[in-house]
Amino acid sequence: MSRFKQWWHQTFDDWAFRSMIGPAQTKGAVHGADQSSREQWKRDLANRKRYTREQRERRRLDNR
């Protein structure tokens, strides 16, 4: 897979998926969905958590 194609899917598949499911939820969020949807949801949730951790760390360092 070309680098552009890989970047395109990583960027816009996540964006499309997030816009379909709305805010991150953990309880029963993808119950009954197919395997690829569950995996995409897990990646999206991990990315949201990583972003939140980075923001928290940035604020903590700025307040020193």
Side-chain angles (χ1 to χ4, degrees):
M1 184 182 293
S2 72
R3 293 175 81 189
F4 176 76
K5 190 173 181 181
Q6 185 177 8
W7 168 83
W8 178 268
H9 285 291
Q10 287 175 346
T11 303
F12 294 105
D13 288 352
D14 284 349
W15 171 81
F17 190 76
R18 282 194 308 270
S19 66
M20 284 190 302
I21 67 168
Q25 301 175 25
T26 57
K27 187 175 181 181
V30 290
H31 179 71
D34 62 352
Q35 183 65 29
S36 62
S37 295
R38 285 192 296 272
E39 293 303 317
Q40 182 65 35
W41 179 82
K42 288 177 188 177
R43 283 193 300 272
D44 180 59
L45 186 59
N47 285 337
R48 290 173 186 230
K49 287 181 178 181
R50 177 188 47 79
Y51 179 79
T52 301
R53 279 192 306 270
E54 290 171 357
Q55 294 301 312
R56 219 177 314 152
E57 181 66 19
R58 236 180 247 139
R59 275 187 241 120
R60 188 181 67 78
L61 290 174
D62 288 344
N63 290 331
R64 283 186 166 189

